[in-house]
Amino acid sequence: MEYFDTLIVILQSTVRVSVPLILAALAGLYSERAGIFDIGLEGKMLAAAFAGGAAAAVTASALIGLAAAIFVSVCLALVHGFASITQRGNQIVSGVAINFIALGATVILGQAWFRQGGRTPQLSGDSRFTTVELPYAAEIADIPVIGSIYSNLLSGHFMLTYLAFALVPFTWWVLYRTRFGLRLRAVGENPGAVDTAGISVTWLRYRAVICCGILCGIAGAYLSMAMTAGFVKGMTAGKGFIALAALIFAKWKPVNVMFACLLFGFLDAMSIRMQGNELPIIGVVPVQFMQALPYLLTVILLAGFIGKAIPPRAGGVPYVKER
């Protein structure tokens, strides 16, 4: 049972660290399916984490913090949309600019407002999200195997965790079972045909980047108001880029995105668990190597070991309406 309990702990940690990856990857899915490549996921998550942590610290309300995080993230998404859709600018440059702006502005504003070296004050009580216990979790906790899975693995997570996993089938339904999803996928493949059908390509793409902003806002709020108790500078630590890698690895499909993010989360959880422990034959693995495992996997997957991943044909290409 000792090994089983260890496995449950690792899987619980996997779920916890996978949530921001799932939300960010789904955000990129909406945007890229519409033909807008968004490398600014990292920046929007970071700005949202700061906005959520700052608003929650000031108002002592987690819901207000969540609303602030979503608002800031959507604003940055609209900036990216204006540069990429309306002005037909380079989408990569726009996304990189958002990353740099968020990286610098969060530290400067954090220092100016709170005088804690770029951090926000520690959150507690109603100012942060708390875990949710599922019904009868305590009663069946002592039952072998089933009790441990239900009480420790399925129960005891944040509400945003359950929301993230619920958004996976919801996103699948939106993309493949609704008129909006059909048009969204069409505008990412052949915007000219969508325009010919009398549907506004611009408005569809703006709605896609707004969806992207909302999901990045929730991801940022999770980082600063659930996973930790406040904002710390650079706390996204490349999660936006890992989410992009997971999105490519999953070939822009919602369910595959979830499993790809869980894979990255599992490696992250393993790197935390195995630090300083001896492995058979190998011995003690350096801490730095274990910490680098998720990023090494990112490089390996993007190097082409997953087969050919074909993005939406109109991705990254500004649409110019034919006259």
Side-chain angles (χ1 to χ4, degrees):
M1 287 297 292
E2 181 181 352
Y3 291 106
F4 179 75
D5 291 338
T6 301
L7 177 62
I8 291 295
V9 170
I10 293 174
L11 292 178
Q12 187 182 43
S13 180
T14 297
V15 171
R16 180 173 56 84
V17 299
S18 296
V19 170
L21 298 179
I22 292 173
L23 289 167
L26 290 178
L29 180 65
Y30 278 100
S31 183
E32 295 193 19
R33 277 289 192 173
I36 303 299
F37 189 77
D38 195 351
I39 204 173
L41 298 176
E42 177 87 0
K44 287 193 281 288
M45 285 174 64
L46 188 62
F50 173 76
V58 172
T59 63
S61 171
L63 291 179
I64 293 178
L66 176 62
I70 293 174
F71 175 76
V72 169
S73 181
V74 169
C75 287
L76 288 177
L78 289 174
V79 170
H80 180 60
F82 178 76
S84 303
I85 302 169
T86 303
Q87 298 300 319
R88 304 187 185 92
N90 188 294
Q91 298 173 12
I92 302 297
V93 173
S94 174
V96 170
I98 287 174
N99 288 338
F100 281 127
I101 290 170
L103 186 63
T106 52
V107 175
I108 293 172
L109 292 176
Q111 178 63 21
W113 292 347
F114 303 110
R115 303 293 179 183
Q116 295 185 19
R119 298 169 176 257
T120 59
Q122 194 82 359
L123 302 180
S124 60
D126 293 337
S127 61
R128 66 173 299 193
F129 291 100
T130 55
T131 55
V132 177
E133 293 294 329
L134 296 181
Y136 308 110
E139 286 78 359
I140 69 172
D142 295 331
I143 299 177
V145 183
I146 296 176
S148 184
I149 292 174
Y150 183 77
S151 301
N152 298 326
L153 182 58
L154 300 180
S155 180
H157 295 287
F158 301 101
M159 185 59 69
L160 294 182
T161 302
Y162 299 111
L163 175 62
F165 283 93
L167 283 171
V168 175
F170 176 76
T171 299
W172 178 89
W173 177 78
V174 168
L175 287 178
Y176 297 103
R177 291 293 184 269
T178 66
R179 181 180 299 177
F180 169 71
L182 174 63
R183 292 174 174 177
L184 191 72
R185 288 183 290 125
V187 82
E189 295 291 339
N190 192 342
V194 175
D195 192 22
T196 303
I199 302 168
S200 173
V201 173
T202 299
W203 176 227
L204 264 174
R205 287 185 166 179
Y206 265 109
R207 279 187 285 176
V209 297
I210 289 172
C211 290
C212 176
I214 292 172
L215 291 174
C216 282
I218 298 173
Y222 177 86
L223 286 174
S224 62
M225 298 160 56
M227 193 171 176
T228 56
F231 175 82
V232 180
K233 62 180 180 179
M235 70 183 310
T236 48
K239 288 182 174 61
F241 299 111
I242 293 178
L244 272 177
L247 183 58
I248 298 170
F249 179 38
K251 300 183 179 179
W252 296 270
K253 296 179 180 178
V255 177
N256 293 353
V257 161
M258 180 187 70
F259 288 117
C261 291
L262 286 172
L263 174 60
F264 283 106
F266 178 75
L267 283 175
D268 201 0
M270 282 294 293
S271 69
I272 296 170
R273 181 72 181 180
M274 298 305 295
Q275 287 180 17
N277 294 335
E278 286 193 16
L279 298 178
I281 302 175
I282 300 174
V284 178
V285 180
V287 173
Q288 293 81 359
F289 177 79
M290 298 304 296
Q291 291 174 338
L293 265 182
Y295 305 97
L296 289 174
L297 179 66
T298 303
V299 174
I300 292 170
L301 293 178
L302 292 181
F305 286 86
I306 58 169
K308 190 174 183 181
I310 302 175
R313 284 186 295 174
V317 181
Y319 175 64
V320 180
K321 187 174 182 179
E322 295 181 2
R323 299 184 182 278

